[in-house]
Structure formats: structure tokens, C-alpha cells
Amino acid sequence: LTNFGSFVAIALIFRKDIVKLVKSFFGYLTTKKEEYKNDYKFCWLIVIGTIPAGIMGIVVTKLGIFDALEENTKFVGVTLLITALFLFLIRKLKGKKDPDQITYKDALIVGLFQVVALIPGISRSGSTIVGGMTRKFKRETAFNFSFILYIPISIATTILGISDLIDSNLSLNMWICYLSATFVAGIFTY
């Protein structure tokens, strides 16, 4: 549920881009106008980039693969350092690709980097930015693609999280804790 706070912050930051992408997607579907084509393709790139983490997220959750590791602060600390190391290693990469130059293969590879973020402590945005930079994205392109790619994953995890919370019969105090954490996550993400 705390993920929802981050989702709201990202949606606010990228609201103009999101509205433009949605309008262009449906505009191209209905009119096939050339002006909508790049954004239409970008929407499909987001879908393709989301598929690997979506599938693996279901598998990991159903099998409880990382359940024990989520509670291991030493493991999470090491994986946070791994994210930092990879961000440090790519800091000097200078890509050339703008959003309209991203290929479906690029989107799939960045999506595979997002799968790595299922490991507790690995940053999702960090791993997808690293993925974009290794595919020669410009920094801004990697950043924007990473955060737009977050939106479908966030919506799915929020829906699943709310469903789990409703089924768990939490006390009022625990609901207050979760809602407070969601609020704080939103502020700090923003």
C-alpha cells in the first residue's frame, strides 16, 4: 500500500506526459494521424517493458521466493549498495537515443532490468535507468522511460496490496500506520 504514495507522486510529476500519451494512443488508434504515432509506439514500449516484471512478479509472489530475504536487513543493505555501485559505474555513459529512437528490443531489455528489482533492496528506478543507459539512451530518456515504466507496475502492485490488506483483517492502528507510511512515501517520492 505504501507504494501507492509513490505512484501518486510520480503521476503528479508526469501528469502532462501521461495525458499526452493517453490522448495520442487513442488518437492514433482512431485516426492513424502521424502526429500521434511516436507516442502510440512509446505506449507499446511501456507495455513490452512491463511484461517481464509482471510475469516474474506473479511467480515470485506465488512461490514466496524472496519472503525470507525481505526481513534480512543485511541482505537488503548489500543489495542497496549493489544498486549504488551500478549507478556509479554508468555515471559517465552518454547515450544518444531519444524516446522516439527506443526499439522494442530496448524496451524488453530495460524490462528485464526491472525484473532484477524484484530482489529486495534493488532499486527499481535504479535498475531500469542502468538498463536504459546500457542501451545508449540519453540520460533524460532513461530517466523518463524508467519512471513512466513504473506506472503500470505500481498500479498492479497497489491493487494486489489493497486486496491483501483487506483479506488480512488488520486493526485500525495498523491501517493508520499503513496510511501514514503511504502519505510519507508520497511526499518523499515527490
Side-chain angles (χ1 to χ4, degrees), residues 73-180:
T73 54
K74 288 181 184 173
F75 179 83
V76 172
V78 168
T79 54
L80 284 168
L81 290 172
I82 290 170
T83 299
L85 173 66
F86 279 103
L87 287 170
F88 179 78
L89 292 174
I90 60 120
R91 75 191 184 287
K92 292 186 180 178
L93 290 180
K94 293 189 182 357
K96 299 175 187 172
K97 288 185 182 178
D98 287 314
D100 60 332
Q101 296 170 311
I102 299 173
T103 65
Y104 292 109
K105 181 180 178 182
D106 292 333
L108 182 61
I109 290 171
V110 173
L112 292 172
F113 273 82
Q114 187 167 235
V115 169
V116 175
L118 293 171
I119 299 169
I122 297 288
S123 166
R124 192 218 57 85
S125 58
S127 63
T128 53
I129 289 170
V130 169
M133 294 302 292
T134 63
R135 297 302 300 166
K136 300 189 179 1
F137 290 12
K138 287 182 178 176
R139 287 182 186 275
E140 185 177 339
T141 302
F143 176 84
N144 289 341
F145 190 77
S146 171
F147 283 96
I148 299 287
L149 189 62
Y150 169 73
I151 293 170
I153 289 291
S154 179
I155 291 169
T157 56
T158 298
I159 291 168
L160 293 172
I162 289 172
S163 172
D164 290 344
L165 283 174
I166 290 170
D167 292 342
S168 67
N169 296 319
L170 291 175
S171 68
L172 179 60
N173 287 341
M174 286 305 294
W175 273 103
I176 291 170
C177 289
Y178 275 112
L179 292 174
S180 299

Side-chain angles (χ1 to χ4, degrees), residues 19-29 35-36 39-40:
V19 169
K20 182 177 178 250
L21 287 169
V22 170
K23 283 182 179 178
S24 294
F25 183 83
F26 290 106
Y28 188 77
L29 276 178
E35 66 187 271
Y36 300 130
D39 288 337
Y40 175 80

